[in-house]
Amino acid sequence: MDMDAVFRALADKSRRSLLDRLFGKNGQTLGELTEGLAMSRQAVSKHLAILEDANLVAAHRRGREKLHYLNPVPIAEIAVRWIGKYEHAQVEALLSLKDHLEKPE
Amino acid sequence: MDMDAVFRALADKSRRSLLDRLFGKNGQTLGELTEGLAMSRQAVSKHLAILEDANLVAAHRRGREKLHYLNPVPIAEIAVRWIGKYEHAQVEALLSLKDHLEKPE
DNA sequence: GTTATAGGCAACCATCTGGTTGCATGTCAA
DNA sequence: TTGACATGCAACCAGATGGTTGCCTATAAC
């Protein structure tokens, strides 16, 4: 994973806001995502392209529309792989619980 | 906390690398942090100023030296307050363990 | 006191970034 | 097939960003 692309994508408030909107309602079109923003459709399109490059958003066409979906995996990977460096002891303990929760044998 | 400043500060690879160096050895001077980097002292100084503004680094003078210390708190806050939006269920569970570990009554 | 060392300040520069506008393309509907 | 709608592409622009160099200040060492 290209962590640098993810960090750079997350650096912009508008892009984080777009992720928030997709979190609220997944699978939105470009036009839908543009509504209510003080920004042109093209600006939003550029932001979405950056989010796609960072693999934070996945999209596919449906006819003339393009549907955008949130991909939270890179965020989770940063949490584990990078933040873990700084929260090492805590995260180690937390991950053992995570594993335990996911495989409750 | 100004999360935007933190995200923007973390967007640059050189700055993340400086945090890494402070993680490895805390309390370094500007000169020490510059050693071995393909960058001037002034460039490093600017990066450290941005990290200080984002409260990721705290510094104080000792004589003619300036000692820099890592502050991991904003990183942890982002993990909890922002990443939590996307990893909600997991983080909730993990935090309850965190609390439990910190207050083992 | 003089000199060396650690850092700060300011001007400057190239490139990146976030935005715009104008026009082209592709698809649905009548 | 004609028009409306959803998106893509490209050129352009102002301001932010990351870096440089040159010089200044403050403290330590001799």
Side-chain angles (χ1 to χ4, degrees):
Chain A
M1 182 186 67
D2 183 355
M3 276 212 297
D4 192 52
V6 177
F7 273 113
R8 288 207 324 267
L10 293 179
D12 186 87
K13 198 177 294 192
S14 299
R15 286 194 288 271
R16 293 198 303 278
S17 159
L18 284 170
L19 292 180
D20 286 351
R21 295 181 129 222
L22 286 179
F23 180 79
K25 180 184 174 193
N26 215 3
Q28 295 189 68
T29 67
L30 171 58
E32 212 170 349
L33 286 167
T34 302
E35 274 170 35
L37 295 188
M39 205 188 312
S40 71
R41 175 179 54 82
Q42 288 82 349
V44 175
S45 175
K46 279 192 183 181
H47 282 308
L48 288 172
I50 290 171
L51 291 170
E52 280 189 64
D53 285 347
N55 203 30
L56 285 161
V57 162
H60 71 267
R61 301 290 296 239
R62 187 186 60 187
R64 63 183 166 182
E65 298 181 322
K66 187 176 182 186
L67 301 180
H68 298 82
Y69 297 87
L70 175 67
N71 178 19
V73 171
I75 294 175
E77 293 205 7
I78 279 186
V80 171
R81 289 173 48 189
W82 193 81
I83 292 179
K85 289 190 62 169
Y86 298 93
E87 296 282 310
H88 201 269
Q90 287 187 21
V91 167
E92 284 310 304
L94 298 180
L95 282 183
S96 67
L97 172 59
K98 176 167 170 286
D99 289 343
H100 184 257
L101 291 175
E102 285 172 347
K103 303 177 239 159
E105 62 277 315
Chain B
M1 182 186 69
D2 184 354
M3 276 213 297
D4 191 52
V6 177
F7 273 113
R8 288 207 323 266
L10 293 179
D12 187 86
K13 197 176 292 190
S14 299
R15 286 194 288 271
R16 293 198 302 277
S17 160
L18 284 170
L19 293 180
D20 286 351
R21 295 181 128 221
L22 286 179
F23 179 79
K25 180 185 175 194
N26 214 4
Q28 294 188 69
T29 66
L30 172 58
E32 212 171 347
L33 285 168
T34 302
E35 275 171 33
L37 295 188
M39 204 188 311
S40 70
R41 175 178 54 82
Q42 287 82 350
V44 175
S45 175
K46 279 192 186 182
H47 282 308
L48 288 172
I50 291 170
L51 290 170
E52 280 189 65
D53 285 347
N55 202 31
L56 285 161
V57 162
H60 71 266
R61 301 287 297 238
R62 186 187 60 188
R64 64 182 165 182
E65 297 182 320
K66 187 176 181 185
L67 302 181
H68 299 81
Y69 297 87
L70 175 67
N71 178 20
V73 170
I75 295 174
E77 294 205 9
I78 279 185
V80 171
R81 289 173 47 188
W82 194 81
I83 292 178
K85 288 189 64 168
Y86 298 93
E87 296 283 310
H88 200 270
Q90 285 187 22
V91 168
E92 282 311 304
L94 298 180
L95 282 183
S96 66
L97 172 60
K98 174 167 172 285
D99 288 343
H100 183 256
L101 290 176
E102 284 172 348
K103 300 176 239 157
E105 62 278 314

